[in-house]
């Protein structure tokens, strides 16, 4: 680290807590604010706890957001006690939440009008990537702002890419979520099929790990399906939010995404069965309902 930076972090949930923790560990001056309970690790750290997003923006030069959805970002930015009310020229707002690419462009314009820079920088890699500082970070914004914030990104992630202008980072993230959802569906169908055919799904997963069917999803989510560990992780409600962004944008663009729509229906079915807060690997449960058979059950 060259010198200590003043970094703000707003939204300390499953992802934000470990990400902010890395910034504290690196020795930066970190100013935090979150809704809900302050996570113990941050509460006990030397991070400065602020009473509002505005308080964070008044003290920090780079202000990071990691909240659930577009309305949460809007509120954190522009409510009376929000970030915009505390900004002064030359500061940078970095939204690492996964939200609407279209709204992102509007948010960036409003922050730019205050003499500040804006990056959208959503991530992939989940809770494990957040804890291990191995997230993929997809960034939208100017070259100069990207270079300014890159040393901070490097404390939280590994594959850090400037995709294009504001909104393009969020577009990349929507594309990421399409691939992840369809991959979960493929793994769920394959393991369900194998189990119903009488093979041990754990061994089938093991057998497929080295070949063309291998993927991070087979590795991580396949294991969750076999072991029935559906605590998030990544909540189905958040993936529904992301596929909603994919499907509504695709409709606006006149692009047909038939299998994305299908994956969304399976998530909708999980939510209807009380599973909005299950990990997204639990999509397999919707397929199990259709098959009237559960992975782990003994095939007849
Ligand atoms: P989370 O619900 O665990 O955490 C969000 C936190 O933000 C909560 O503590 C909430 O109280 C707080 N919050 C909400 N509105 C706020 C506001 N206006 N001001 C201050 N705090 C506010 O969610 P998460 O799983 O950490 O996800 C955060 C974002 O990261 C989402 O956009 C999600 O899609 C994305 N993401 C999550 C994962 C994952 O595996 N969980 C992976 C990649 C990306």
């Amino acid at each position: 680290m060259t010198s200590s930076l003043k970094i703000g972090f707003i939204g300390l949930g499953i992802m934000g807590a470990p990400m902010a923790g890395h910034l504290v560990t690196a020795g930066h001056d970190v100013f935090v604010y979150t809704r809900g309970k302050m996570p113990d690790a941050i509460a006990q750290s030397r991070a400065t706890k602020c009473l509002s997003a505005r308080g964070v923006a008044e003290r920090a030069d780079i202000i990071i957001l990691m909240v659930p959805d577009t309305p949460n970002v809007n509120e954190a930015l522009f409510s009376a006690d929000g970030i915009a009310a505390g900004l002064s020229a030359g500061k940078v707002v970095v939204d690492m939440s996964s939200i609407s690419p279209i709204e992102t462009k509007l948010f960036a314009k409003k922050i730019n009008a205050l003499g500040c820079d804006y990056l959208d920088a959503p991530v992939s890699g989940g809770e494990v990537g957040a804890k291990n500082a191995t997230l993929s970070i997809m960034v939208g914004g100017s070259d100069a702002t990207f270079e300014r914030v890159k040393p901070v990104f490097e404390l939280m992630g590994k594959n850090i890419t400037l995709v294009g202008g504001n909104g393009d980072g969020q577009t990349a993230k929507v594309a990421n979520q399409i691939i992840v959802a369809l991959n979960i569906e493929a793994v769920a169908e394959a393991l369900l099929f194998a189990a119903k055919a009488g093979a041990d799904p754990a061994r089938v997963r093991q057998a497929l790990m080295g070949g063309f069917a291998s993927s991070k999803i087979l590795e991580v989510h396949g294991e969750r399906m076999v072991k029935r560990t559906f605590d998030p992780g990544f909540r189905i409600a958040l993936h529904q939010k992301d596929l909603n962004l994919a499907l509504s944008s695709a409709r606006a663009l006149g692009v047909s995404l038939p299998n994305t729509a299908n994956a969304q229906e399976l998530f909708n079915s999980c939510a209807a069965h009380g599973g909005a807060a299950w990990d997204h690997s639990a999509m397999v449960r919707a397929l199990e309902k259709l098959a009237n058979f559960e992975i782990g059950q003994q095939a007849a």
Side-chain angles (χ1 to χ4, degrees), residues 4-16:
S4 172
L5 300 169
K6 290 181 178 175
I7 308 172
F9 210 109
I10 294 163
L12 300 167
I14 288 176
M15 298 295 283

Side-chain angles (χ1 to χ4, degrees), residues 10-16 33-36 66-68 72 75-76 97-98 123 126-127 173 233-235 238 241-242:
I10 294 163
L12 300 167
I14 288 176
M15 298 295 283
Y33 169 70
T34 194
R35 284 272 167 74
M66 195 55 167
V67 296
N72 306 109
E75 192 189 352
S97 332
S98 306
V123 305
E127 189 183 7
K173 173 67 187 184
F234 187 72
R235 293 194 302 279
L238 288 176
K241 174 246 322 174
D242 293 333

Side-chain angles (χ1 to χ4, degrees), residues 214-245:
S214 177
S215 69
K216 200 88 187 157
I217 302 291
L218 179 66
E219 186 190 330
V220 177
H221 298 72
E223 184 176 38
R224 288 178 171 206
M225 291 173 201
V226 171
K227 292 193 170 162
R228 319 304 286 173
T229 46
F230 296 131
D231 289 340
F234 187 72
R235 293 194 302 279
I236 280 178
L238 288 176
H239 214 145
Q240 286 178 290
K241 174 246 322 174
D242 293 333
L243 295 191
N244 230 359
L245 292 173

Side-chain angles (χ1 to χ4, degrees), residues 30 56 63 67 75 91 94 109 141 175 183 190 231-232 235 251 274 276 285:
V30 181
V56 171
I63 301 107
V67 296
E75 192 189 352
K91 298 195 174 192
V94 183
K109 280 208 176 92
N183 210 334
D231 289 340
R235 293 194 302 279
R251 212 163 19 250
R285 284 184 161 162

